[in-house]
Amino acid sequence: MKNTLKKSLFVGIAALGLVAAVGTANATQASAKTYAKVTSNKALGGDATNRNVNFTGNSALYTKAGTLRGARVKASKAVLGSFANSKSSQHNVRAYRVATTNRGSVYYKVVSFDGNYRGWIYGGKSADAFGGGVAQYNTTTAPTANPDANGSVNSSASINTQGQTNGLSATQKAATYKIATPGTSNDGTEVTYTFPAWTQYKKGRQITDSTPYKDATFTITDQTTRTREGDLWVKIQATDAANSKANGWILYSGLKQANPTPVTPTDNFNADTSVKIAYRDVTTGKTLDKTNTWTTASTGTKKGNAVNALVNAGGYNLAKYLTTTGAPSGYAFKTTDGKSAAADASNLTISPVVTSAKFGDTLTVDVTPTAAQTKVAFYYETTSGSAISTLSASDFAYGYPAMTPDQQSKALPDTSTATTTFNVSNYFDDYLLGGNQNAKFINQFKDATNAYTAAPGQLTDPTNNQTNGLYKTGFFGQALANGTQRYFYVFDGTATKKNNADQQTKGATVKVVMQRFTTGLQLPGQQTDANANTDYIAK
């Protein structure tokens, strides 16, 4: 009986063992089937600045794609999530490889700018856009526009560079600076950088010691803020070419104002050929510093002669020049009928009246302060729908496109009306043949100085090598491929509206997005227009 029981127990236990063994084997096989396989693994190409990303905290960082056999966690979702809102640009991240698994999942290999975190992270189901654990990220942003960015320059003003985060005023942009504390510290204030510190991967200092430049003076050519810190960085250029090695980016707080050199005012006004136009603020009764000068194209005129219908080199008579040039920035003409300025200036208050003007006169026009002028900042996309990057004046072959005051007033929201807001969609639609009421900006921008219309087949999308099938008007950029090609920038209304909130306050800065092409076209000669300027651009 005992032997029989023992034998029964032994058989039962053995059977259970067999079942357990089979179960373990099946579990192992099932587990093996859950591992994914990599079907593609390649380096990311294109503009490296478009591959700057930020952790979202939605996925961990792994030694390899997270669903592959042997993948280990290098940083948890919680750790990465804490970096998403970091105030240190050292936590910026660059993506440089992309892998796709047989399940259609995309993984990116990324590295933090400080080099402390490197690995693979889930990026969604499409390699066309970042997703999952990472999101596209602009490491720098345009500073908040300064309301005095285009105002009068006060050369005697004392400038404080400390603590400023908004853009520079006209006086600050025109000033000359020195490095406040020359030395070797790598804190953004003592040496210059090829880019604002930690905003581009492996881009560091321009110089490592600014002591040799302690007496050098610099002007400011560009400005930006670091997205994470929100601090203001400026690009400086030496006034003496011998110190140009120090040209680069530095914190604005790292500069101090150079003692301005007294300048003896000069007035080249020729009373025999010109008429000066001054402006009076009706709210204060004071005459503004800003003046304009109309000069005849005729010869033999003398001071005191009547101007009558004579024209300048641009073909404008005095009245037409006055109204086309427009009021100074921040002001509008004070009209007698509440309407826009008439082409013949008949509804403006001008002393003496324009119809009796003589050579050598100064005409004073009544103006009134307006709402802040809406500005634009230029960005580009490498392909339709891709992330955008900033465009500086130096990215264009001939600098920012210039428009006349008349073009600018038609392209952007009217500052003289009582309304304080506007809809981006009412101004920034794509241009259509025959015109478009909601394409106010491009209808003027296409006629800006140095605009060029490329014929079909003359432009190439650098990411898919497809050429344009329609005529496209845009602007030449800098050379590439050893000078055999150039970038070419074309306005993209769809991308512009996508990257801006539709409802805006007058005085805001609109991100104008251009699509970037390449072309083998030869750069045309530079065009100029004495009446055009870039006041409409936030700088």
Side-chain angles (χ1 to χ4, degrees):
M1 184 70 172
K2 289 182 181 179
N3 289 337
T4 302
L5 179 58
K6 287 180 180 180
K7 185 175 182 180
S8 299
L9 288 172
F10 177 78
V11 171
I13 293 171
L16 288 173
L18 177 61
V19 171
V22 171
T24 302
N26 288 338
T28 302
Q29 292 171 5
S31 178
K33 292 178 181 178
T34 64
Y35 289 113
K37 294 181 180 179
V38 171
T39 57
S40 172
N41 186 334
K42 59 185 178 181
L44 286 169
D47 189 342
T49 62
N50 288 334
R51 295 188 272 107
N52 293 333
V53 296
N54 195 16
F55 292 126
T56 64
N58 294 329
S59 179
L61 188 69
Y62 293 86
T63 54
K64 59 177 74 173
T67 52
L68 298 181
R69 180 188 291 274
R72 292 180 292 103
V73 173
K74 298 190 72 174
S76 68
K77 291 192 291 184
V79 169
L80 300 186
S82 68
F83 295 158
N85 298 316
S86 170
K87 297 303 181 183
S88 171
S89 289
Q90 294 186 44
H91 287 145
N92 289 328
V93 183
R94 172 70 55 79
Y96 62 97
R97 293 193 71 84
V98 59
T100 305
T101 71
N102 59 337
R103 297 175 180 171
S105 295
V106 174
Y107 286 83
Y108 293 100
K109 193 168 189 181
V110 299
V111 59
S112 60
F113 281 19
D114 61 9
N116 290 335
Y117 293 86
R118 184 189 298 271
W120 291 86
I121 192 165
Y122 176 65
K125 292 291 186 178
S126 172
D128 293 334
F130 292 108
V134 288
Q136 191 81 37
Y137 192 71
N138 290 324
T139 59
T140 60
T141 54
T144 303
N146 192 312
D148 189 32
N150 296 288
S152 300
V153 174
N154 184 352
S155 59
S156 63
S158 178
I159 294 175
N160 176 20
T161 62
Q162 303 304 302
Q164 183 166 336
T165 57
N166 64 328
L168 302 179
S169 68
T171 298
Q172 291 171 320
K173 288 190 288 186
T176 303
Y177 298 85
K178 289 185 176 182
I179 296 175
T181 310
T184 60
S185 177
N186 188 18
D187 64 357
T189 65
E190 294 188 5
V191 298
T192 54
Y193 299 75
T194 56
F195 290 88
W198 301 103
T199 61
Q200 294 301 331
Y201 184 55
K202 288 191 174 180
K203 301 294 184 181
R205 287 168 285 184
Q206 177 69 27
I207 56 174
T208 57
D209 185 359
S210 61
T211 305
Y213 306 98
K214 61 183 179 64
D215 296 320
T217 56
F218 302 87
T219 57
I220 291 175
T221 62
D222 204 355
Q223 57 183 314
T224 192
T225 56
R226 291 192 297 182
T227 304
R228 294 191 185 277
E229 290 85 353
D231 47 13
L232 181 63
W233 285 70
V234 293
K235 193 174 186 179
I236 58 174
Q237 178 175 294
T239 57
D240 186 338
N243 296 315
S244 61
K245 186 178 179 181
N247 294 350
W249 290 89
I250 191 170
L251 278 167
Y252 186 57
S253 60
L255 301 178
K256 65 179 181 181
Q257 184 181 12
N259 292 327
T261 302
V263 177
T264 302
T266 59
D267 190 346
N268 296 322
F269 178 75
N270 187 339
D272 290 331
T273 61
S274 302
V275 174
K276 187 173 290 186
I277 302 167
Y279 304 92
R280 186 181 74 94
D281 183 345
V282 297
T283 63
T284 64
K286 295 181 179 179
T287 301
L288 306 180
D289 292 337
K290 172 70 174 178
T291 61
N292 283 305
T293 299
W294 174 89
T295 300
T296 183
S298 301
T299 59
T301 58
K302 296 292 183 182
K303 180 178 180 180
N305 291 167
V307 170
N308 295 325
L310 294 178
V311 297
N312 66 1
Y316 293 160
N317 62 30
L318 178 58
K320 180 65 174 175
Y321 171 80
L322 188 153
T323 55
T324 301
T325 302
S329 177
Y331 289 86
F333 289 125
K334 177 69 173 177
T335 59
T336 57
D337 55 9
K339 299 179 180 179
S340 298
D344 61 359
S346 58
N347 60 347
L348 301 184
T349 301
I350 307 173
S351 179
V353 295
V354 69
T355 53
S356 63
K358 298 178 177 62
F359 287 102
D361 282 351
T362 295
L363 306 186
T364 301
V365 187
D366 280 359
V367 294
T368 185
T370 64
Q373 176 63 60
T374 299
K375 304 279 186 177
V376 306
F378 286 109
Y379 292 77
Y380 73 91
E381 53 181 5
T382 52
T383 57
S384 180
S386 65
I388 61 174
S389 302
T390 55
L391 272 173
S392 64
S394 61
D395 289 317
F396 292 93
Y398 294 127
Y400 283 131
M403 294 199 291
T404 66
D406 182 58
Q407 289 172 329
Q408 294 176 38
S409 66
K410 292 177 180 176
L412 296 168
D414 183 4
T415 58
S416 63
T417 59
T419 56
T420 58
T421 61
F422 69 98
N423 292 331
V424 167
S425 56
N426 289 343
Y427 289 84
F428 293 93
D429 266 356
D430 285 300
Y431 174 72
L432 300 176
L433 293 177
N436 186 325
Q437 291 300 311
N438 291 335
K440 298 178 179 65
F441 180 80
I442 188 57
N443 278 325
Q444 303 303 319
F445 190 53
K446 66 182 177 60
D447 295 324
T449 308
N450 294 308
Y452 182 90
T453 300
Q458 292 183 327
L459 306 178
T460 301
D461 185 326
T463 58
N464 59 21
N465 291 321
Q466 293 183 356
T467 57
N468 59 309
L470 300 172
Y471 285 92
K472 287 186 178 292
T473 299
F475 301 87
F476 283 92
Q478 293 301 315
L480 67 156
N482 296 320
T484 61
Q485 292 196 324
R486 283 187 175 273
Y487 287 124
F488 192 87
Y489 298 98
V490 177
F491 173 75
D492 187 331
T494 300
T496 296
K497 292 190 292 183
K498 176 184 176 182
N499 284 279
N500 292 278
D502 190 55
Q503 188 75 8
Q504 299 274 359
T505 301
K506 289 182 179 179
T509 297
V510 176
K511 295 179 178 179
V512 169
V513 182
M514 314 283 281
Q515 186 173 351
R516 189 173 73 175
F517 295 88
T518 59
T519 182
L521 288 168
Q522 184 176 357
L523 180 66
Q526 184 174 9
Q527 304 296 312
T528 59
D529 184 339
N531 294 315
N533 60 58
T534 58
D535 290 348
Y536 70 104
I537 301 171
K539 309 183 189 71

